[in-house]
Coordinates of all heavy atoms in Angstrom, one line a residue:
M1 N 0.9 -1.2 0.0 CA 0.0 0.0 0.0 C 0.9 1.3 0.0 O 1.8 1.4 0.9 CB -0.9 0.0 1.2 CG -1.8 -1.2 1.4 SD -3.0 -1.4 0.1 CE -4.2 -0.2 0.3
G2 N 0.6 2.1 -0.9 CA 1.4 3.3 -1.0 C 0.6 4.4 -0.5 O -0.4 4.3 0.0
S3 N 1.3 5.6 -0.4 CA 0.6 6.8 0.1 C 0.7 7.8 -1.0 O 1.6 7.9 -1.8 CB 1.2 7.3 1.4 OG 2.6 7.6 1.2
V4 N -0.3 8.7 -1.0 CA -0.4 9.8 -2.0 C 0.2 11.0 -1.4 O -0.1 11.4 -0.2 CB -1.8 10.0 -2.4 CG1 -2.0 11.2 -3.4 CG2 -2.5 8.8 -3.0
A5 N 1.0 11.6 -2.1 CA 1.8 12.8 -1.5 C 0.9 14.1 -1.4 O 1.0 14.7 -0.3 CB 2.9 13.2 -2.5
D6 N -0.1 14.2 -2.3 CA -0.9 15.5 -2.1 C -2.3 15.1 -1.6 O -3.3 15.8 -2.0 CB -0.9 16.2 -3.5 CG -1.5 15.3 -4.6 OD1 -1.6 14.1 -4.3 OD2 -1.7 15.9 -5.6
F7 N -2.4 14.1 -0.8 CA -3.7 13.8 -0.2 C -4.2 14.8 0.8 O -3.5 15.2 1.7 CB -3.7 12.4 0.4 CG -5.0 12.0 1.0 CD1 -6.1 11.6 0.3 CD2 -5.2 12.0 2.4 CE1 -7.2 11.2 0.8 CE2 -6.3 11.7 3.0 CZ -7.4 11.2 2.2
K8 N -5.5 15.2 0.6 CA -6.1 16.2 1.5 C -7.3 15.5 2.0 O -8.2 15.2 1.3 CB -6.4 17.5 0.8 CG -7.0 18.5 1.7 CD -7.4 19.7 0.8 CE -8.7 20.3 1.2 NZ -9.9 20.1 0.6
P9 N -7.4 15.3 3.4 CA -8.7 14.6 3.9 C -9.9 15.4 3.6 O -9.8 16.7 3.6 CB -8.4 14.5 5.4 CG -7.2 15.3 5.6 CD -6.5 15.6 4.4
P10 N -11.0 14.8 3.3 CA -12.2 15.6 3.1 C -12.7 16.3 4.3 O -12.5 15.8 5.4 CB -13.2 14.4 2.6 CG -12.6 13.1 3.0 CD -11.2 13.4 3.2
T11 N -13.4 17.3 4.1 CA -14.1 18.1 5.1 C -15.6 18.2 5.0 O -16.1 17.8 3.9 CB -13.5 19.6 5.1 OG1 -13.9 20.2 3.9 CG2 -12.0 19.6 5.2
M12 N -16.2 18.6 6.0 CA -17.7 18.7 6.0 C -18.2 19.7 4.9 O -19.3 19.5 4.4 CB -18.2 19.1 7.4 CG -18.0 18.1 8.4 SD -18.9 16.6 8.2 CE -20.5 17.1 8.7
S13 N -17.4 20.7 4.6 CA -17.8 21.7 3.6 C -17.8 21.1 2.2 O -18.4 21.8 1.3 CB -16.9 22.9 3.7 OG -15.6 22.6 3.4
E14 N -17.3 19.9 2.0 CA -17.2 19.4 0.7 C -18.5 18.4 0.4 O -18.6 17.9 -0.7 CB -15.9 18.6 0.4 CG -14.7 19.5 0.4 CD -13.4 18.7 0.4 OE1 -13.5 17.4 0.4 OE2 -12.4 19.3 0.3
L15 N -19.3 18.2 1.5 CA -20.4 17.4 1.3 C -21.5 18.0 0.4 O -21.6 19.3 0.5 CB -21.0 17.0 2.6 CG -20.1 16.1 3.5 CD1 -20.8 15.9 4.9 CD2 -20.0 14.7 2.9
P16 N -22.3 17.3 -0.3 CA -23.3 18.0 -1.1 C -24.4 18.6 -0.2 O -24.7 18.1 0.9 CB -23.9 16.8 -1.9 CG -23.5 15.6 -1.2 CD -22.2 15.8 -0.5
I17 N -24.9 19.7 -0.6 CA -26.0 20.4 0.1 C -27.3 19.9 -0.4 O -27.6 20.0 -1.6 CB -25.8 21.9 -0.1 CG1 -24.5 22.4 0.3 CG2 -26.9 22.6 0.6 CD1 -24.1 23.8 -0.1
P18 N -28.2 19.4 0.6 CA -29.5 19.0 0.1 C -30.3 20.2 -0.5 O -30.3 21.3 0.0 CB -30.2 18.6 1.4 CG -29.1 18.4 2.5 CD -27.9 19.3 1.9
Q19 N -31.1 19.8 -1.5 CA -31.9 20.8 -2.2 C -33.3 20.2 -2.3 O -33.5 19.0 -2.6 CB -31.3 21.2 -3.5 CG -30.0 21.9 -3.4 CD -29.4 22.1 -4.8 OE1 -30.0 21.7 -5.8 NE2 -28.3 22.8 -4.8
G20 N -34.3 21.1 -2.3 CA -35.7 20.7 -2.4 C -36.2 20.1 -1.1 O -35.6 20.0 -0.1
A21 N -37.5 19.9 -1.1 CA -38.2 19.4 0.1 C -38.0 17.9 0.2 O -38.1 17.1 -0.7 CB -39.6 19.6 0.0
W22 N -37.5 17.4 1.4 CA -37.3 16.1 1.7 C -38.5 15.2 1.6 O -38.5 14.1 1.2 CB -36.6 15.8 3.1 CG -37.6 16.1 4.2 CD1 -37.8 17.3 4.8 CD2 -38.4 15.2 4.8 NE1 -38.7 17.1 5.8 CE2 -39.1 15.8 5.8 CE3 -38.7 13.8 4.5 CZ2 -40.1 15.3 6.6 CZ3 -39.7 13.2 5.4 CH2 -40.4 13.9 6.4
K23 N -39.6 15.8 2.0 CA -40.9 15.1 1.9 C -41.3 14.7 0.5 O -41.9 13.6 0.3 CB -42.0 15.9 2.6 CG -43.3 15.1 2.8 CD -44.2 15.9 3.7 CE -45.5 15.1 3.8 NZ -45.8 14.6 5.1
D24 N -41.1 15.6 -0.4 CA -41.4 15.2 -1.9 C -40.5 14.1 -2.4 O -41.0 13.2 -3.1 CB -41.2 16.5 -2.7 CG -42.1 17.6 -2.4 OD1 -43.2 17.3 -1.8 OD2 -41.8 18.8 -2.7
A25 N -39.2 14.1 -2.1 CA -38.4 13.0 -2.5 C -38.8 11.7 -1.7 O -38.8 10.6 -2.4 CB -36.9 13.4 -2.2
Y26 N -39.1 11.8 -0.5 CA -39.5 10.6 0.3 C -40.7 10.0 -0.3 O -40.9 8.8 -0.5 CB -39.7 11.1 1.8 CG -40.2 10.0 2.6 CD1 -39.4 9.0 3.1 CD2 -41.5 9.9 3.0 CE1 -39.9 8.0 3.9 CE2 -42.1 8.9 3.8 CZ -41.2 7.9 4.3 OH -41.8 7.0 5.1
N27 N -41.8 10.9 -0.6 CA -43.1 10.4 -1.1 C -42.8 9.8 -2.5 O -43.4 8.7 -2.7 CB -44.0 11.5 -1.2 CG -44.6 11.9 0.2 OD1 -44.5 11.1 1.1 ND2 -45.0 13.1 0.3
A28 N -42.0 10.3 -3.3 CA -41.7 9.7 -4.6 C -41.1 8.3 -4.5 O -41.4 7.4 -5.2 CB -40.8 10.6 -5.5
K29 N -40.1 8.2 -3.6 CA -39.4 7.0 -3.4 C -40.4 5.9 -2.8 O -40.4 4.8 -3.2 CB -38.3 7.1 -2.5 CG -37.4 5.9 -2.3 CD -36.3 6.1 -1.3 CE -35.1 6.8 -2.1 NZ -33.8 6.8 -1.3
Q30 N -41.2 6.3 -1.9 CA -42.2 5.4 -1.3 C -43.2 5.0 -2.3 O -43.6 3.8 -2.2 CB -42.9 6.0 0.0 CG -41.9 6.2 1.1 CD -41.3 4.9 1.5 OE1 -42.0 3.8 1.7 NE2 -40.0 4.9 1.7
R31 N -43.7 5.8 -3.2 CA -44.6 5.5 -4.2 C -44.0 4.4 -5.1 O -44.7 3.4 -5.4 CB -44.9 6.7 -5.0 CG -46.1 6.5 -6.0 CD -46.5 7.7 -6.8 NE -46.7 8.9 -5.9 CZ -46.0 10.0 -5.9 NH1 -44.9 10.2 -6.6 NH2 -46.3 10.9 -5.1
K32 N -42.7 4.6 -5.5 CA -42.1 3.6 -6.3 C -41.9 2.3 -5.5 O -42.2 1.1 -6.1 CB -40.7 4.1 -6.8 CG -40.0 3.2 -7.7 CD -38.6 3.7 -8.0 CE -37.7 3.3 -6.9 NZ -36.3 3.5 -7.1
N33 N -41.5 2.3 -4.3 CA -41.3 1.1 -3.5 C -42.7 0.3 -3.3 O -42.7 -0.9 -3.4 CB -40.7 1.4 -2.2 CG -39.2 1.8 -2.3 OD1 -38.6 1.6 -3.3 ND2 -38.7 2.5 -1.3
N34 N -43.7 1.1 -3.0 CA -45.1 0.4 -2.8 C -45.6 -0.1 -4.2 O -46.2 -1.2 -4.1 CB -46.1 1.5 -2.3 CG -45.8 1.9 -0.9 OD1 -45.3 1.0 -0.1 ND2 -46.2 3.0 -0.5
L35 N -45.2 0.5 -5.3 CA -45.6 -0.1 -6.6 C -44.9 -1.4 -6.8 O -45.5 -2.5 -7.3 CB -45.3 0.9 -7.7 CG -45.6 0.4 -9.1 CD1 -47.1 0.2 -9.3 CD2 -45.1 1.4 -10.1
H36 N -43.6 -1.5 -6.5 CA -42.9 -2.7 -6.6 C -43.4 -3.8 -5.6 O -43.5 -5.0 -6.0 CB -41.4 -2.5 -6.3 CG -40.6 -1.9 -7.4 ND1 -40.0 -0.6 -7.3 CD2 -40.4 -2.4 -8.7 CE1 -39.5 -0.4 -8.4 NE2 -39.6 -1.4 -9.3
L37 N -43.8 -3.4 -4.4 CA -44.3 -4.4 -3.5 C -45.6 -4.9 -3.9 O -45.8 -6.2 -4.0 CB -44.5 -3.7 -2.1 CG -45.2 -4.5 -1.0 CD1 -44.3 -5.7 -0.7 CD2 -45.5 -3.6 0.2
I38 N -46.5 -4.0 -4.4 CA -47.9 -4.5 -4.9 C -47.7 -5.4 -6.1 O -48.4 -6.4 -6.2 CB -48.8 -3.3 -5.1 CG1 -49.1 -2.6 -3.8 CG2 -50.1 -3.7 -5.9 CD1 -49.8 -1.3 -3.9
S39 N -46.9 -5.0 -7.0 CA -46.7 -5.8 -8.3 C -46.1 -7.2 -7.9 O -46.5 -8.2 -8.5 CB -45.9 -5.1 -9.3 OG -44.6 -4.9 -8.8
G40 N -45.2 -7.2 -7.0 CA -44.6 -8.5 -6.5 C -45.7 -9.4 -5.9 O -45.7 -10.7 -6.1
I41 N -46.5 -8.8 -5.0 CA -47.6 -9.6 -4.4 C -48.5 -10.1 -5.4 O -49.0 -11.3 -5.4 CB -48.3 -8.7 -3.3 CG1 -47.3 -8.6 -2.1 CG2 -49.6 -9.4 -2.9 CD1 -47.9 -7.6 -1.1
L42 N -48.9 -9.3 -6.4 CA -49.8 -9.7 -7.5 C -49.2 -10.8 -8.3 O -49.9 -11.8 -8.6 CB -50.2 -8.5 -8.3 CG -51.2 -7.5 -7.7 CD1 -51.4 -6.3 -8.6 CD2 -52.5 -8.2 -7.2
V43 N -48.0 -10.7 -8.7 CA -47.3 -11.7 -9.5 C -47.2 -13.0 -8.7 O -47.5 -14.1 -9.3 CB -45.9 -11.3 -10.0 CG1 -45.1 -12.5 -10.5 CG2 -46.0 -10.2 -11.0
A44 N -46.8 -13.0 -7.5 CA -46.8 -14.2 -6.6 C -48.2 -14.8 -6.4 O -48.3 -16.1 -6.6 CB -46.2 -13.9 -5.3
G45 N -49.2 -14.0 -6.2 CA -50.6 -14.6 -6.0 C -51.0 -15.2 -7.4 O -51.7 -16.2 -7.4
G46 N -50.7 -14.5 -8.5 CA -51.2 -15.0 -9.8 C -50.5 -16.4 -10.1 O -51.0 -17.3 -10.6
T47 N -49.2 -16.4 -9.7 CA -48.4 -17.7 -10.0 C -49.0 -18.8 -9.1 O -49.2 -19.9 -9.6 CB -46.9 -17.4 -9.7 OG1 -46.4 -16.4 -10.4 CG2 -46.2 -18.7 -9.8
L48 N -49.3 -18.6 -7.8 CA -49.8 -19.6 -7.0 C -51.2 -20.0 -7.5 O -51.6 -21.2 -7.5 CB -49.9 -19.1 -5.6 CG -48.6 -19.0 -4.8 CD1 -48.8 -18.4 -3.4 CD2 -47.9 -20.4 -4.7
A49 N -52.1 -19.0 -7.9 CA -53.4 -19.4 -8.4 C -53.2 -20.3 -9.8 O -54.0 -21.2 -9.9 CB -54.1 -18.1 -8.7
F50 N -52.4 -19.9 -10.7 CA -52.1 -20.7 -11.8 C -51.7 -22.1 -11.5 O -52.2 -23.0 -12.1 CB -51.1 -20.0 -12.7 CG -50.7 -20.8 -13.9 CD1 -51.6 -20.9 -15.0 CD2 -49.5 -21.5 -13.9 CE1 -51.2 -21.7 -16.1 CE2 -49.1 -22.3 -15.0 CZ -50.0 -22.3 -16.1
L51 N -50.7 -22.2 -10.6 CA -50.3 -23.5 -10.2 C -51.4 -24.4 -9.6 O -51.4 -25.6 -9.8 CB -49.0 -23.4 -9.3 CG -47.7 -22.9 -9.9 CD1 -46.7 -22.7 -8.9 CD2 -47.3 -23.8 -11.0
A52 N -52.2 -23.8 -8.7 CA -53.2 -24.5 -8.1 C -54.3 -25.0 -9.0 O -54.8 -26.0 -9.0 CB -53.9 -23.6 -7.0
E53 N -54.6 -24.1 -10.1 CA -55.6 -24.5 -11.0 C -55.2 -25.5 -12.0 O -55.9 -26.2 -12.6 CB -56.2 -23.2 -11.7 CG -57.1 -22.3 -10.8 CD -58.3 -23.1 -10.3 OE1 -58.9 -23.8 -11.1 OE2 -58.6 -23.0 -9.1
S54 N -53.9 -25.4 -12.4 CA -53.4 -26.3 -13.5 C -53.0 -27.6 -12.9 O -52.5 -28.5 -13.7 CB -52.2 -25.6 -14.1 OG -51.1 -25.5 -13.3
D55 N -53.1 -27.9 -11.6 CA -52.6 -29.2 -11.0 C -51.1 -29.5 -11.3 O -50.7 -30.7 -11.3 CB -53.5 -30.3 -11.4 CG -54.9 -30.2 -10.8 OD1 -55.0 -29.6 -9.7 OD2 -55.8 -30.7 -11.4
M56 N -50.3 -28.5 -11.5 CA -48.9 -28.7 -11.6 C -48.2 -29.0 -10.3 O -47.2 -29.7 -10.2 CB -48.2 -27.5 -12.3 CG -48.6 -27.2 -13.7 SD -47.8 -25.8 -14.3 CE -47.1 -26.3 -15.8
V57 N -48.8 -28.4 -9.2 CA -48.2 -28.7 -7.9 C -49.4 -29.2 -7.0 O -50.4 -28.6 -7.0 CB -47.7 -27.3 -7.4 CG1 -47.2 -27.5 -6.0 CG2 -46.6 -26.8 -8.2
D58 N -49.0 -30.1 -6.2 CA -50.0 -30.6 -5.2 C -49.7 -29.9 -3.9 O -48.6 -30.1 -3.3 CB -49.8 -32.2 -5.1 CG -50.8 -32.7 -4.1 OD1 -51.8 -32.0 -3.8 OD2 -50.6 -33.9 -3.6
F59 N -50.7 -29.1 -3.5 CA -50.4 -28.3 -2.2 C -50.8 -29.1 -1.0 O -50.8 -28.7 0.1 CB -51.3 -27.1 -2.3 CG -50.7 -26.0 -3.2 CD1 -51.3 -25.8 -4.4 CD2 -49.5 -25.4 -2.9 CE1 -50.8 -24.8 -5.3 CE2 -49.0 -24.4 -3.8 CZ -49.7 -24.2 -5.0
G60 N -51.2 -30.4 -1.2 CA -51.5 -31.3 0.0 C -52.9 -30.9 0.6 O -53.1 -31.2 1.8
M61 N -53.8 -30.5 -0.2 CA -55.1 -30.1 0.4 C -56.0 -31.3 0.3 O -55.6 -32.4 -0.2 CB -55.7 -28.9 -0.4 CG -54.9 -27.6 -0.3 SD -55.7 -26.4 -1.2 CE -54.5 -25.1 -1.1
A62 N -57.2 -31.2 0.8 CA -58.2 -32.3 0.7 C -58.5 -32.7 -0.7 O -58.4 -31.9 -1.6 CB -59.4 -31.9 1.5
P63 N -58.9 -33.9 -0.9 CA -59.2 -34.4 -2.3 C -60.4 -33.6 -2.8 O -61.3 -33.2 -2.0 CB -59.4 -35.9 -2.1 CG -59.7 -36.1 -0.7 CD -59.0 -35.0 0.0
K64 N -60.5 -33.4 -4.1 CA -61.6 -32.8 -4.7 C -62.8 -33.7 -4.6 O -62.9 -34.9 -4.8 CB -61.3 -32.5 -6.2 CG -60.2 -31.5 -6.4 CD -60.0 -31.2 -7.9 CE -58.9 -30.2 -8.0 NZ -58.6 -29.8 -9.3
M65 N -64.0 -33.0 -4.3 CA -65.2 -33.7 -4.1 C -66.1 -33.5 -5.4 O -66.1 -32.6 -6.0 CB -65.9 -33.0 -2.9 CG -65.2 -33.1 -1.7 SD -64.8 -34.7 -1.1 CE -65.9 -35.0 0.2
G66 N -66.7 -34.6 -5.7 CA -67.7 -34.6 -6.8 C -67.2 -34.9 -8.0 O -66.6 -35.0 -8.9

């Protein structure tokens, strides 16, 4: 491991300054995350419903009557 001759440690004044309302950015991020969550739940539910109806997987339920 070498050392850099002209290394200057970072300071607090070099950090980016937040701009805009945090609530707007938070709401936009949560909207996207909730959309991913809902779509994942729908895809998983649709997959389970398809597998149950097509008899590809035996879920170990009671035998069909009639």
